[in-house]
Structure formats: C-alpha cells, structure tokens
Amino acid sequence: MRRLLHLTGQHRTASVDRIFGLLLAFNAGAVNAGGLLVVHMYTSHMSGFASQVADGLVLGNVALLLGALGALLAFIAGAATTAVIVHWAQRHHLRSAFALPLMLEAALLLVFGLLGAITLTWPTPFAVPLTVLLLSYIMGLQNGLSSAMSHGKMRTTHMTGHVTDLGLELGRLVYRNHRLTPPEQRVRANRVALRFYGGLIGMFIVGGIVGATGFKYIGFVWVVPLAALLLALSLPPFRRDLRRSVYLQLLLGSAVRRFGRRAPPSGP
C-alpha cells in the first residue's frame, strides 16, 4: 500500500514515475483497443481525427467533420479538466493533486463499463454516439495527467512520440564514434530512456491485447478491473489528504449536506 501511495503522491522519484507511466500505458492500450471493437475507431488517435476534420471539410462530409471535431474537443476538454484539478489541488496544498484526475478517470470507466451499451444509442450533436466522446474525454484526462506529472516528457495514450524517441536512441546506440572523437563529443545512447520507451510501447501493446480480448469475450464490464486498478493507485494519497486537510473535510462535508437536502424523502 505504501508503494501505491507514492505512485500518485506529491513526492515521487524518477523510478516511481516510470512505473506509473507503464501502468497508465497499459490502461490506455486496453481502453483504446477495446474502443475499436465497440465504436470502430481509436479514441485516443487525435492525429487521425485532425486529418478527418480536414477530409470532412474538403469532401463536404458533415458527419465525418462533426464526429472528428467532437472527439478532438472531448480529448481537449479531458486534458483541460486535468489541468484545472491539478492546479486547484496544488493551490490548496493537497498531496493528491495527481490522484484526483485518476479517480475521475476510474469513475468514468465504471460508467462506461456499466452503461456502455446504453450510451452507444445516445445521440450527440457531433454525429457520433456519447460513447465516443466519453472515451475521448477519458483519454484526454489521462494523457493530460501523465504529461503534467512528467512536465511534458511522457504521454501514455498514444505512442507516436515514444516510438520516435526509441528510434533516436537506437540510432545513437548503433552510431560508431570515430576513435579520435573527444569523450565530451561522443554520441551515446541513454539506456535508461531506451528501456523506458520500449517498456511504454510494450505495455501499450500488452494492454491492447488484454483489452481487445476482454471486450471480445466479456464485453463492456471488462473495464471494471481497469477502473479498480486506477482506484487502487489514486485512493491512498486521497485518503491521506482527507485525514490531514481541514479544507477538504469542510468541502466534502458541505457537498454531502447539499446532496442530502436535495434527496427526496424516503418515507410515504
């Protein structure tokens, strides 16, 4: 449990960040591959959606244009939500600043897992079902989190940048320095980065295999274990804040009282 606390807590080491990134890459791979089976598109593939916007404009295909635009806006909204939550939590000195977006992602994955079949029939103004927008929002939420935690050095919902970085490090690894090259000018591969980029890509692929298999044979409810994993990562620092932060206690207490006043009476 103490290990889980450090994964999304305030004070983390580089090795802990790498472990967290690998777990998030696994989760994104599972959700992305499962999303293809459900809605027949990769909901974290923003490069593809941006191209679809251009194609829709040129071809005059309104449905293609609106669908891609909706996915783009949902992804952006997810990343923006992460930024708002993280900065709000940091302003109030909460140690769970990075855990809170993860809790929200877990909650939305539970909604998707339990109500995904229903949301497939819910229309939206963007010519795609609500499920597409929900999955894109979740992916934006997670990618914003991994980027915020790593100061822009790590993305976990798409691998294009990491595949590029892996290629660069492999090039440096096989590059032959001239024997007269001074030591400070020699080209050297960053072996830690090489292993990390390879690990991220590998975990994304493994997650995709697990996600596709689960959605194929079990269905929407397969994401419930993924949500449970995210909750396991995010709850320890949140519980610690809940014990120590008077502000958080007052805020939650106020929300509970407000919800209690709005709830209908249970008796006849």
Side-chain angles (χ1 to χ4, degrees), residues 230-251:
L230 300 186
L231 282 176
L233 296 175
S234 58
L235 280 177
F238 176 74
R239 291 176 58 188
R240 188 174 184 179
D241 272 342
L242 195 56
R243 290 195 303 265
R244 298 185 177 189
S245 174
V246 176
Y247 171 79
L248 191 58
Q249 293 170 6
L250 292 175
L251 184 65

Side-chain angles (χ1 to χ4, degrees), residues 5 9 17-18 54 64 74 104 106 115-116 121 150 158 178 242 247 249:
L5 176 65
D17 278 352
R18 287 193 290 269
L64 182 66
L104 177 57
L115 302 176
T121 62
S150 64
H158 57 274
H178 192 277
L242 195 56
Y247 171 79
Q249 293 170 6

Side-chain angles (χ1 to χ4, degrees), residues 86-169:
V86 168
H87 289 299
W88 171 84
Q90 290 176 339
R91 176 187 175 189
H92 295 286
H93 309 290
L94 300 180
R95 299 189 177 187
S96 56
F98 297 116
L100 294 175
L102 205 62
M103 291 179 64
L104 177 57
E105 181 182 352
L108 293 176
L109 280 177
L110 284 174
V111 171
F112 172 69
L114 300 176
L115 302 176
I118 299 175
T119 59
L120 275 174
T121 62
W122 287 6
T124 68
F126 295 101
V128 290
L130 182 61
T131 303
V132 174
L133 303 184
L134 177 61
L135 289 177
S136 294
Y137 180 85
I138 290 173
M139 290 292 93
L141 195 71
Q142 176 175 309
N143 212 43
L145 173 61
S146 58
S147 180
M149 291 186 70
S150 64
H151 303 289
K153 298 178 181 178
M154 179 173 65
R155 307 289 195 274
T156 56
T157 64
H158 57 274
M159 294 292 113
T160 303
H162 295 314
V163 171
T164 303
D165 293 334
L166 179 65
L168 290 172
E169 293 301 336

